[in-house]
Amino acid sequence: MAELVDPDAGAVSLAFLHTLGTWLVPRFVTDFRQAFPQARFELHQDGEVGLTRHLLDATADLIITSSEPAHPLITWRRLLVEPLRLAEVAEEPFILLKPGYGLRGISETLCLEAGFTPLVGFEGEEVETLRGLVAAGLGVSLIPSSPDSTTPPDSPIRYLEITDVRGARDIGIAWLSSRALPPITRRFLDHTLKSAVAPAAAQATSHA
């Protein structure tokens, strides 16, 4: 009732991929709260399968994910296309996200297109974990770059532009078609669809 009386207030329940929590989601949240400062956010992070479950279990009203959920009850809209490319690092151990994350499948597919199967050295659950393992000299990783990311001059990580294989992943927002969204959540959805950002450049990381 309070949200109906004041549609500019209330909480937006949002779930998203770990890889989007370092740049895209903070940007959307900050931009929205500049227009609607009373809005609050309930945030959840998960893999692709888990995000769909958040919608179906009503633990989130919206999800931001890297692929369209294959479910008849879910509506999905593209926000941007994020480029991904692969370098010639077939002999190196790969540091990948665990199975179940969209970027894991994309990485394996692009490696196969380049003519090799990646040698899995380590698996993690967040991109920052992958960066840390790369910085420790444990392997290489294929990750999308954040447009806001910068590398300190003394960083042990080198970011390499990939030229031999081209790929991209869709980033989109989804909601349960049959569920009426709270007013503030509908405002966030409309705001996000209108302010989708330009695609980020791709990065492959390796220890310097």
Side-chain angles (χ1 to χ4, degrees):
M1 289 296 295
E3 292 181 351
L4 292 176
V5 173
D6 186 2
D8 291 346
V12 178
S13 181
L14 176 68
F16 53 90
L17 290 174
H18 293 277
T19 56
L20 304 179
T22 59
W23 66 283
L24 184 61
V25 171
R27 173 176 295 183
F28 281 149
V29 169
T30 299
D31 187 45
F32 184 72
R33 294 195 74 245
Q34 288 177 350
F36 301 95
Q38 298 182 69
R40 296 178 291 109
F41 282 83
E42 298 174 356
L43 302 177
H44 313 271
Q45 291 178 291
D46 217 319
E48 299 283 0
V49 175
L51 291 179
T52 298
R53 181 51 53 189
H54 273 292
L55 284 184
L56 298 177
D57 290 347
T59 54
D61 289 325
L62 299 172
I63 61 173
I64 299 180
T65 181
S66 68
S67 60
E68 182 173 0
H71 198 287
L73 299 180
I74 295 176
T75 301
W76 181 88
R77 293 289 183 271
R78 180 181 290 106
L79 295 174
L80 65 141
V81 177
E82 186 179 37
L84 297 166
R85 297 177 181 86
L86 186 63
E88 295 178 358
V89 288
E91 302 302 320
E92 300 286 341
F94 271 73
I95 300 172
L96 302 171
L97 292 177
K98 291 182 177 180
Y101 290 91
L103 188 57
R104 170 63 178 263
I106 290 172
S107 298
E108 290 176 329
T109 297
L110 291 178
C111 288
L112 290 176
E113 290 179 1
F116 68 95
T117 299
L119 174 63
V120 180
F122 293 89
E123 297 176 323
E125 295 183 350
E126 295 185 352
V127 166
E128 290 309 310
T129 299
L130 306 190
R131 292 187 209 273
L133 293 172
V134 170
L138 300 178
V140 300
S141 186
L142 175 65
I143 61 174
S145 69
S146 160
D148 302 322
S149 65
T150 56
T151 304
D154 58 347
S155 173
I157 295 178
R158 286 189 300 135
Y159 291 91
L160 309 175
E161 181 178 0
I162 309 308
T163 59
D164 57 342
V165 175
R166 292 183 178 270
R169 68 171 180 173
D170 288 327
I171 302 297
I173 191 165
W175 60 97
L176 202 61
S177 309
S178 60
R179 183 185 304 146
L181 296 174
I184 192 64
T185 303
R186 170 55 65 176
R187 288 180 184 270
F188 177 75
L189 173 61
D190 294 340
H191 186 87
T192 301
L193 289 172
K194 291 178 181 178
S195 60
V197 300
Q203 295 176 339
T205 64
S206 67
H207 189 268

